[in-house]
Amino acid sequence: WWENADGQGGTWTRHTIATDMYQPCSEWAADMDADLDIDIVAASTSARMLCWWQNADGRGVRWIEHFTGADIYTPWEVISADLDGDGNHEFPLGLEHSIRIYSAVGPSTNGWMDSSILSLGCDPSWDCISWTASVPFDASLGIQVRASDNPGDMGEWSSMLTEPGSLVGLLGDGYSYLQYRLVMTAGPSGLLPALHGISFAFDVLGTGEGGDPPRDFGMVERTTRSQGPSS
């Protein structure tokens, strides 16, 4: 894919997603795993296969390949859409003389999903985290967080948070990059948790020096339709 580096279409930067798919004939961009970034689906007529690539870092630099189907005769055109209203993407795939639909056979009962790395543009002093979610009686949803000054090395995850609360002591003050992880488990009923939104509050002035400056709070908020884990 080509990044519009200057935002005006004058300078472009090339990024490689994969090198092992022979002659891809159709590509599609969509948020396949509901983590608020864009993933890629591709079909190859020559290789007779269908794959999608997860945008693992949310920046289009690191990709994880997911194999969807092989020995598919003459795939020509692939798109993705939620055809049955279950919150998951299906792949309508155009073949030479027919249309075939690929869908997930069922969700995992437990797993985790990492957010993209968020740049705050300041040196924060952390305050609290809050979120809204629907959690069935026999399911669970937990959140871990981490912060760093180096997006290439975010460090260890915090202990598990099972309800909104303070971030003091969980994240180091002054770190300008933030990431969170959702850890979800379904119970015997098979009902899955759903995270609707998450926010982080912090003092954008940081800890400061020479006395206590007036507090100026910032907020990072994300709205998501994540339902069910991706292990």
Side-chain angles (χ1 to χ4, degrees):
W1 70 278
W2 293 84
E3 177 186 359
N4 187 352
D6 63 2
Q8 299 177 340
T11 303
W12 297 83
T13 302
R14 179 179 176 178
H15 299 271
T16 299
I17 297 174
T19 59
D20 57 353
M21 189 176 205
Y22 183 63
Q23 293 183 338
C25 62
S26 177
E27 299 81 31
W28 186 263
D31 184 5
M32 302 303 301
D33 52 2
D35 65 349
L36 304 181
D37 56 31
I38 298 299
D39 309 299
I40 299 295
V41 185
S44 169
T45 299
S46 299
R48 300 173 66 171
M49 63 188 297
L50 174 66
C51 294
W52 73 278
W53 286 265
Q54 178 185 358
N55 189 349
D57 61 3
R59 297 175 294 163
V61 176
R62 188 167 67 89
W63 300 85
I64 299 174
E65 181 177 347
H66 298 269
F67 181 72
T68 303
D71 200 24
I72 304 170
Y73 184 67
T74 62
W76 293 109
E77 185 74 18
V78 63
I79 63 173
S80 71
D82 182 7
L83 299 178
D84 53 4
D86 65 351
N88 300 317
H89 280 258
E90 284 77 39
F91 302 129
L93 182 64
L95 307 179
E96 186 174 14
H97 299 294
S98 63
I99 296 175
R100 186 179 296 177
I101 297 174
Y102 288 82
S103 61
V105 296
S108 172
T109 57
N110 60 79
W112 50 266
M113 183 178 71
D114 293 347
S115 75
S116 55
I117 296 174
L118 310 175
S119 176
L120 305 179
C122 66
D123 298 322
S125 178
W126 298 103
D127 185 21
C128 63
I129 179 176
S130 61
W131 65 83
T132 56
S134 300
V135 182
F137 71 97
D138 59 349
S140 66
L141 183 148
I143 294 179
Q144 294 175 289
V145 293
R146 60 184 181 180
S148 172
D149 265 340
N150 179 4
D153 182 9
M154 291 297 293
E156 298 295 323
W157 291 101
S158 72
S159 56
M160 188 71 66
L161 297 167
T162 56
E163 59 184 26
S166 175
L167 290 172
V168 176
L170 288 179
L171 295 177
D173 288 337
Y175 291 142
S176 57
Y177 293 95
L178 170 68
Q179 188 178 29
Y180 62 89
R181 167 177 285 182
L182 310 181
V183 181
M184 295 173 279
T185 302
S189 69
L191 298 176
L192 301 170
L195 179 71
H196 306 303
I198 186 169
S199 64
F200 299 83
F202 52 89
D203 181 352
V204 300
L205 298 180
T207 55
E209 295 181 358
D212 295 328
R215 295 180 66 80
D216 182 10
F217 278 95
M219 184 77 73
V220 172
E221 295 184 291
R222 303 194 91 186
T223 301
T224 177
R225 58 182 180 85
S226 174
Q227 181 169 346
S230 299
S231 56

